[in-house]
Amino acid sequence: MTATKPVRGTVQDGIGVVVLDRAGKHNALTTDMWNQLPTLLTELVDHGAACIVITGANGSFSAGADLREVYRATQSRHEAEAFCQAVVGALTAIASCPVPTIARLSGIASGGGAEIALAADLRIADDTARFQLPLAGLGVVPDHFTYERLAKLVGSSTARYLLLTAETLDAADCLRTGIAHEVTAPEELDRRIDRLTARLRHHSAFALTGIKQMALGHELRDDLPRLSAPMIESFMAGDVARGAQAFLN
């Protein structure tokens, strides 16, 4: 029996789909998964994807980064840099992907999973969706890209509130704050996304790419080391190691 790949992609009728799939782990992302995402997105575009849907298997979007690997990344600056730049590299690859990206939100989107959702162009949720950025409790300072994207979406005041308190937002809160563009019943989620992707597929690829580049603004003005620098420093400060160990215990 062939094991299911923890991150995989397909293209059918011009629609790309990326699936995060770690059964029993709420699709928590390993370093390998973070590193695979940029290449996978490029492959889907090269194979004709006019837009890409990012989704999670097993009833969840993603619980975020695998905490065992978070803890391992606190053990040296080299490991912290490799891990944090893998995360930020995946996020910026989603944001700068030349075709529209859609986060299909069902169940939990927490930590790195929430960051992936923020990096996408559109977020369509069902009413089971829960969104959380529990970074402060773990000792993590977000990367510059994530903070700018969050502040752009919800406003700087609400961004500070969400990051400082790690408040969990339900689907209605996600819609109210602007994190979700639409919320629908679980049984309607796929049909709504199918209608949306069908529309995007028939729009001008040149126009869609141009609009995306315009919308990015200053979010990607820095390279990976500078974008990820605050996150790396937090990994070396000691609190992330203690926080990850506490969660694991």
Side-chain angles (χ1 to χ4, degrees), residues 59-196:
S60 294
F61 186 72
S62 172
D66 187 302
L67 288 178
R68 286 179 175 78
E69 301 207 8
V70 170
Y71 178 75
R72 189 177 303 121
T74 65
Q75 302 307 294
S76 73
R77 178 167 291 275
H78 173 74
E79 291 182 78
E81 289 175 350
F83 178 83
C84 295
Q85 289 178 20
V87 171
V88 180
L91 299 177
T92 56
I94 294 167
S96 61
C97 182
V99 303
T101 52
I102 303 167
R104 177 191 179 278
L105 299 180
S106 183
I108 189 67
S110 182
E115 292 179 299
I116 287 175
L118 290 173
D121 297 305
L122 305 174
R123 286 157 296 283
I124 310 299
D126 69 25
D127 55 23
T128 71
R130 298 293 182 271
F131 180 96
Q132 184 189 37
L133 288 164
L135 307 183
L138 190 60
V140 176
V141 177
D143 60 275
H144 284 297
F145 169 78
T146 292
Y147 181 81
E148 286 199 22
R149 176 58 61 96
L150 181 65
K152 183 184 285 188
L153 284 172
V154 305
S156 60
S157 178
T158 300
R160 285 196 299 273
Y161 176 80
L162 293 176
L163 288 167
L164 293 172
T165 67
E167 183 76 16
T168 299
L169 302 184
D170 62 17
D173 290 330
C174 288
L175 187 62
R176 173 181 56 80
T177 57
I179 288 172
H181 292 91
E182 297 181 31
V183 173
T184 186
E187 63 272 16
E188 292 294 326
L189 181 59
D190 287 332
R191 280 192 287 270
R192 177 63 191 117
I193 289 178
D194 287 346
R195 290 195 295 271
L196 181 58

Side-chain angles (χ1 to χ4, degrees), residues 10 19 212 218:
T10 58
V19 181
K212 284 200 58 168
H218 296 293

Side-chain angles (χ1 to χ4, degrees), residues 5 40 52-53 56 95 116 242:
K5 291 183 178 180
L40 182 57
I52 296 173
V53 178
I116 287 175
R242 288 187 288 273

